[in-house]
Amino acid sequence: MFVSLRDVSLRGIKQLWLKNGFRCLSTAPGTFESNKKNIVLVDGVRSPFLLSGTSYAKLMPHELARHSLLSLLRKTRLDKAAIDYIVYGSVIQEVKTSNIAREAALAAGFSDKTPAHTVTMACISSNAAITTGMGFIATGTFDTIVAGGVEFMSDVPIRFSRKMRSLMMKASKAKSLGQQLSLLAQFRPNFLTPELPAVAEFSSGETMGHSADRLAAAFNVTRQEQDEYALRSHALAKEAQEKGYFTDLVPFKVSGVDYTISEDNGIRVSTKEQLAKLKAAFVKPHGTITAANASFLTDGASACLITTEEKAKQLGLKPKAYLRNFTFVSQDPVDQLLLGPAYGIPKLLQRSGLALKDVDAWEVHEAFAGQIVANIKALESDWWCKTYLGLSEKYGSPDINKFNNWGGSLSIGHPFAATGVRLCMHAANRLVREDGKLAVVSACAAGGQGVAMLLERHPEATAN
């Protein structure tokens, strides 16, 4: 049956889109009814998150990703042939394996018929991988998706300067001795100065740490507030680690390392006095961001399985959570670089017909302690919420007693592209252990972007 577009009103087109398009990924405002496919997070895994330059130093990134892919299959007892598609996030990419999703999949023994691609969206790259997979499922393109991310800061690509690269390219095409000597005469010693990758904004040239320091100052976040939040993160992470709550973590036996790596190695409980001795790391000498209240460069990988509830039942799998809704936001990358949660959380909850009090567990990425406190203060500010969110008064902030109760990126670590899956898994497992129903995951990212996701506990979920 063919229908002319002239016979369909604009309103009708909109209704068809809302019914059949990507909006079906979300709950309708004011309800908990999801789309007919009912997309679920089945389970997820991660490698131990390690300080860069430690026990993973001799690996390549695709080997870390391979470990997570194989660990996920072992945990779910799923055959590789059941996976329709693989999406992986990566930020600082190894040139040799730029489509790391594909290279890791092949290294893990997946069929060469299983397509895979890599996404990059800074610190929310694995969130983008998950939501990309949700899109595939919602449109009926694929049923069973592996989404994840990997970051390897122990060996980052370091380039020759542009002048040196240009000279080398010309030299490769020089045919005569005269041409080669002419090019050699153009060489200058400063051409050998390397270009190092930096956690800095291309648009502004400012490092993220410097931006975080300015953000903290703008919201009057004190050094003491930041150190106290950092202490909280490490103490809660240590407690969760000792209680065996990190069931998403899969030990890794690395070739050449004489022990099995079984724990995150950045969790360090300290004291206020010790933290107070540290000097400013970015805005010197009067800045408030230090090595202790900022997340550290981390190596690690993660992976999770998403599918429909119906497909999960067919495969004999018990999901962790329903993936109910998500949104991405973006704002000024200069003065509001790290305010993604303050923009994303109200937008997500409004779209879902929910209020702050309805959320039982919060998992928010901790890039810096100052960034966390600044986002909380933004949501508690009448002026900020009126000016930037268009509200009539302050939105309010999450209940701190439900906030990052197992620590966060400050303590556990932050492999840029792998953190999103870790956030989702901790949110899902916390809902079980804390007997909650709804969780919100949110994170900021370079470029002044952010994400917020809504998860609902599945009735068959366990925290294993």
Side-chain angles (χ1 to χ4, degrees):
M1 177 179 177
F2 295 90
V3 180
S4 169
L5 285 177
R6 289 177 297 180
D7 299 326
V8 181
S9 66
L10 288 176
R11 181 178 180 183
I13 293 173
K14 183 178 180 181
Q15 289 173 338
L16 285 170
W17 169 251
L18 291 177
K19 182 178 180 181
N20 298 318
F22 277 94
R23 185 64 182 87
C24 286
L25 294 173
S26 310
T27 55
T31 75
F32 290 114
E33 294 180 8
S34 68
N35 65 88
K36 62 182 180 181
K37 290 184 179 295
N38 235 3
I39 301 170
V40 293
L41 169 66
V42 176
D43 211 334
V45 298
R46 64 181 177 91
S47 70
F49 286 176
L50 303 187
L51 290 148
S52 63
T54 56
S55 297
Y56 293 151
K58 294 184 179 180
L59 295 176
M60 286 188 68
H62 75 281
E63 294 174 301
L64 267 177
R66 174 183 179 273
H67 169 264
S68 288
L69 288 173
L70 291 175
S71 298
L72 181 65
L73 293 176
R74 284 192 289 267
K75 189 175 184 183
T76 58
R77 298 180 181 178
L78 202 59
D79 189 88
K80 296 183 182 76
I83 306 302
D84 296 325
Y85 202 96
I86 298 170
V87 192
Y88 245 73
S90 180
V91 182
I92 309 295
Q93 298 182 0
E94 164 61 56
V95 177
K96 294 178 181 178
T97 56
S98 57
N99 185 6
I100 198 163
R102 178 64 168 171
E103 301 303 335
L106 292 174
F110 281 82
S111 166
D112 58 12
K113 303 299 182 185
T114 304
H117 81 268
T118 300
V119 297
T120 185
M121 203 173 180
C123 302
I124 55 177
S125 292
S126 58
N127 301 88
I130 293 171
T131 56
T132 298
M134 292 171 69
F136 283 148
I137 294 169
T139 56
T141 308
F142 299 108
D143 288 329
T144 309
I145 311 288
V146 169
V150 61
E151 210 63 46
F152 192 69
M153 300 302 293
S154 290
D155 182 25
V156 297
I158 299 173
R159 304 197 302 178
F160 284 108
S161 68
R162 185 159 190 169
K163 290 180 179 179
M164 189 65 193
R165 297 200 306 272
S166 175
L167 195 65
M168 292 169 73
M169 291 293 290
K170 292 176 181 177
S172 69
K173 299 175 183 178
K175 297 180 179 180
S176 68
L177 178 61
Q179 289 174 329
Q180 293 171 348
L181 291 174
S182 175
L183 289 170
L184 183 61
Q186 298 175 31
F187 173 78
R188 298 291 181 272
N190 65 1
F191 285 13
L192 294 176
T193 303
E195 288 184 3
L196 302 174
V199 185
E201 292 299 301
F202 179 78
S203 58
S204 67
E206 185 177 42
T207 65
M208 188 173 283
H210 194 284
S211 182
D213 231 325
R214 290 196 302 105
L215 182 70
F219 283 92
N220 296 314
V221 181
T222 66
R223 166 73 180 269
Q224 182 179 348
E225 286 178 303
Q226 294 175 63
D227 286 353
E228 287 176 353
Y229 184 86
L231 286 170
R232 175 186 187 271
S233 180
H234 282 269
L236 290 175
K238 185 64 174 177
E239 181 183 2
Q241 186 182 63
E242 291 177 345
K243 288 182 176 180
Y245 287 173
F246 295 162
T247 55
D248 57 327
L249 186 152
V250 179
F252 192 179
K253 182 63 179 79
V254 176
S255 177
V257 177
D258 58 5
Y259 61 93
T260 297
I261 302 164
S262 59
E263 290 187 342
D264 308 309
N265 71 356
I267 301 172
R268 298 174 183 176
V269 178
S270 187
T271 66
K272 292 181 182 179
E273 292 74 23
Q274 289 173 316
L275 265 59
K277 295 177 182 178
L278 297 178
K279 296 181 179 180
F282 299 99
V283 179
K284 301 175 182 180
H286 303 299
T288 56
I289 306 293
T290 70
N293 60 38
S295 57
F296 48 89
L297 295 179
T298 313
D299 298 336
S302 60
C304 68
L305 178 67
I306 63 173
T307 186
T308 64
E309 185 175 32
E310 180 183 3
K311 187 68 175 180
K313 289 180 180 178
Q314 291 175 8
L315 295 170
L317 301 169
K318 294 182 178 180
K320 293 279 188 181
Y322 296 103
L323 295 170
R324 290 304 194 194
N325 205 343
F326 69 85
T327 190
F328 290 93
V329 294
S330 60
Q331 56 279 340
D332 174 16
V334 178
D335 293 325
Q336 298 190 336
L337 177 69
L338 303 172
L339 286 179
Y343 280 95
I345 289 169
K347 184 177 179 181
L348 175 76
L349 295 183
Q350 188 277 327
R351 284 182 55 183
S352 305
L354 297 169
L356 289 166
K357 62 180 177 59
D358 298 315
V359 180
D360 301 302
W362 297 88
E363 283 292 329
V364 180
H365 166 49
E366 300 168 347
F368 304 87
Q371 158 256 330
I372 288 288
V373 181
N375 274 269
I376 290 172
K377 289 192 174 188
L379 291 171
E380 288 288 351
S381 165
D382 283 320
W383 176 83
W384 192 87
C385 290
K386 289 177 180 178
T387 304
Y388 294 104
L389 299 184
L391 302 178
S392 59
E393 59 182 352
K394 69 179 183 181
Y395 186 78
S397 60
D399 182 346
I400 194 64
N401 295 313
K402 301 176 181 179
F403 192 91
N404 290 8
N405 286 359
W406 293 355
S409 300
L410 287 173
S411 47
I412 296 168
H414 175 41
F416 302 140
T419 289
V421 170
R422 198 270 302 166
L423 291 170
C424 288
M425 286 306 301
H426 281 199
N429 286 332
R430 280 184 54 204
L431 286 177
V432 177
R433 292 195 183 275
E434 298 169 15
D435 194 24
K437 181 180 181 181
L438 297 173
V440 167
V441 164
S442 190
C444 57
Q449 302 195 97
V451 68
M453 301 175 67
L454 178 67
L455 283 70
E456 180 183 354
R457 177 181 171 183
H458 192 275
E460 295 182 308
T462 68
N464 296 332

